[in-house]
Amino acid sequence: MGTASQELSEWIDGFLFVANLPILDLLNTKPVLADGPSELLSDVRALERWLIASEMVSSTKDKAVVRSWRNSVEAEGFLKHLIAFRERLRDAVLLIERGMLPSDAFLSEVNSLLLQYPRHTSLRKRDGKLTRETFVEFRKPADLWTPIVDATADLLTETESSRIRKCESCVIHFFDTSKKGSRRWCSMNICGNKLKVAAYQRRKHAGSKSVE
Ligand SMILES: [Zn+2]
């Protein structure tokens, strides 16, 4: 029931969003589909769509800025670097999922990006009070590191590591937000049903054997 709408919400603009955290869904931009591993961040246009779908870039103004980089060589350079970073982040997440910490080399890389692309802070009047708010200013494609590395830092420090998990039957990673913390699959539609059917068939097969 409601499977169709659930299925729809898992894919936004051609990208998979099943992780509950956009930074983990960055890893999921290279899923293994029926015909093998598939690079969904295939070009700058695709990157732009992912940044918007993931809400890494969310304001109307920022979306317009990012769209203006469609033919930018610098944006292409950023995408290449991001894809390489994604694979190092994947290694770090695989370690976390085994109860370990990411490598020192990866931490150095994250720290260096945090220094180069920090969030800015400003004071604003809100409801008769002053509040301190952080924001990102996209002036050049490399500034896209700011939300990426900020989300990475959150993932590494603020996120319950025992709930960061890989699907039991595919390469998709997710953050388990279920009450019991017992989520095993990327999605019921993608792997859950497949595994349930397989388990049912195994049981059926075992059952018919024992009868014989
Ligand atoms: Zn899966």
Side-chain angles (χ1 to χ4, degrees):
M1 270 187 292
T3 314
S5 66
Q6 206 182 322
E7 226 165 309
L8 275 180
S9 68
E10 287 170 356
W11 290 93
I12 303 174
D13 210 0
F15 299 101
L16 199 53
F17 289 96
V18 291
N20 294 316
L21 290 176
I23 194 67
L24 282 178
D25 275 316
L26 175 65
L27 301 180
N28 301 336
T29 54
K30 196 178 181 188
V32 177
L33 302 176
D35 44 359
S38 172
E39 178 55 78
L40 301 181
L41 296 179
S42 49
D43 56 23
V44 171
R45 279 282 187 120
L47 170 68
E48 168 197 312
R49 287 191 294 109
W50 185 81
L51 289 166
I52 291 170
S54 66
E55 296 179 5
M56 286 274 179
V57 170
S58 56
S59 78
T60 310
K61 178 178 149 256
D62 291 342
K63 285 180 194 171
V65 172
V66 171
R67 286 190 180 114
S68 74
W69 295 333
R70 277 180 185 168
N71 300 310
S72 144
V73 175
E74 211 188 318
E76 242 169 72
F78 170 80
L79 174 59
K80 261 191 199 154
H81 191 174
L82 179 67
I83 285 175
F85 177 84
R86 179 190 66 192
E87 297 314 311
R88 292 190 285 273
L89 176 62
R90 191 188 310 282
D91 291 342
V93 165
L94 286 166
L95 285 172
I96 290 169
E97 288 165 349
R98 283 159 52 197
M100 295 157 81
L101 290 176
S103 71
D104 290 344
F106 185 67
L107 285 192
S108 300
E109 180 177 14
V110 171
N111 282 337
S112 152
L113 288 168
L114 283 169
L115 271 178
Q116 287 177 78
Y117 304 101
R119 277 185 174 274
H120 304 292
T121 305
S122 72
L123 303 185
R124 303 246 162 104
K125 281 184 183 170
R126 203 168 278 254
D127 302 327
K129 282 198 309 186
L130 286 180
T131 60
R132 183 177 174 140
E133 294 175 7
T134 66
F135 66 98
V136 184
E137 200 160 27
F138 297 112
R139 290 192 175 150
K140 54 184 190 304
D143 293 332
L144 291 166
W145 280 117
T146 304
I148 299 281
V149 78
D150 189 60
T152 301
D154 267 353
L155 179 73
L156 300 181
T157 59
E158 310 285 332
T159 309
E160 168 78 59
S161 56
S162 65
R163 281 178 173 255
I164 299 173
R165 228 166 279 153
K166 192 175 87 61
C167 174
E168 284 185 10
S169 90
C170 78
V171 299
I172 301 294
H173 294 268
F174 58 84
F175 177 59
D176 182 3
T177 55
S178 71
K179 232 182 199 163
K180 286 175 158 175
S182 55
R183 179 174 162 190
R184 296 159 63 194
W185 304 310
C186 57
S187 124
M188 212 51 182
N189 301 313
I190 302 171
C191 288
N193 283 333
K194 201 169 69 192
L195 286 178
K196 277 199 163 173
V197 168
Y200 172 75
Q201 280 171 342
R202 262 199 315 277
R203 277 199 306 273
K204 214 172 103 180
H205 190 65
S208 62
K209 257 190 184 165
S210 67
V211 170
E212 276 164 16

